[in-house]
Amino acid sequence: MPGNFIALAEETGMNVQIGDDRRTTIAINSRPVMDQEQKMTGVVATFTDITRRWQAENALRKSEEKLRAIYAAIPVSAYIWQVVGDDFVLTDSNDAGRRVSQGRISELIGIKASVMYRDRPDIVEDIARCHREKISIEREMEY
């Protein structure tokens, strides 16, 4: 082969027609075979049927998209808090939460509950209780 050539291990996928009616998805993993002088002398490739994995990933992706759409569309403000150590970090809000806060909630993404509500430990405790007991808590608040 003329010139310098560097090949890395790589996975690609493709759909393959088998017979008249069956399609399958395969993963192709390949890597170069090098001689003692580091010249490529061949390629080793494996082909793996990943049809079921691909179908499961596709179903999961569709389910996640549906859940995101439902979360965004519910008419009640909803916020997602992620546990970080012994605190909670605001990671998302639905459309109703953004409307109610007039968009200001977006500025608070990434803020810890203990910081956001430093003067309201009862709210931080409600968030912790919601997580601990796996319950919903409703509260009226001013923004």
Side-chain angles (χ1 to χ4, degrees):
M1 296 183 131
N4 294 329
F5 179 76
I6 298 174
L8 303 174
E10 181 178 322
E11 177 180 289
T12 58
M14 68 172 45
N15 289 317
V16 178
Q17 183 80 32
I18 298 175
D20 292 335
D21 60 350
R22 184 167 170 241
R23 292 189 63 76
T24 189
T25 304
I26 60 171
I28 305 166
N29 288 289
S30 61
R31 69 174 188 82
V33 175
M34 310 297 264
D35 66 13
Q36 292 176 346
E37 296 170 355
Q38 294 303 306
K39 291 183 182 176
M40 191 170 95
T41 59
V43 175
V44 173
T46 60
F47 298 83
T48 307
D49 184 344
I50 59 167
T51 304
R52 287 190 180 129
R53 181 180 89 187
W54 182 86
Q55 290 169 338
E57 289 171 354
N58 195 40
L60 178 60
R61 193 172 18 263
K62 286 180 181 179
S63 176
E64 288 172 343
E65 289 169 3
K66 183 187 280 186
L67 181 60
R68 273 193 292 276
I70 291 169
Y71 171 70
I74 59 174
V76 177
S77 299
Y79 307 95
I80 297 179
W81 294 88
Q82 180 179 1
V83 178
V84 176
D86 61 349
D87 209 337
F88 300 86
V89 173
L90 183 65
T91 60
D92 197 13
S93 168
N94 69 347
D95 293 346
R98 286 186 282 282
R99 276 192 305 276
V100 166
S101 70
Q102 298 173 351
R104 290 181 296 215
I105 197 70
S106 297
E107 299 167 12
L108 300 174
I109 300 297
I111 301 293
K112 290 181 177 182
S114 63
V115 173
M116 186 182 306
Y117 297 113
R118 72 174 56 93
D119 298 330
R120 297 289 310 270
D122 57 315
I123 295 174
V124 177
E125 176 50 34
D126 279 351
I127 295 168
R129 184 172 162 238
C130 177
H131 172 70
R132 187 175 55 248
E133 298 177 21
K134 310 293 186 239
I135 61 171
S136 295
I137 297 176
E138 293 183 38
R139 171 190 285 270
E140 290 188 20
M141 317 177 47
E142 291 184 29
Y143 283 93

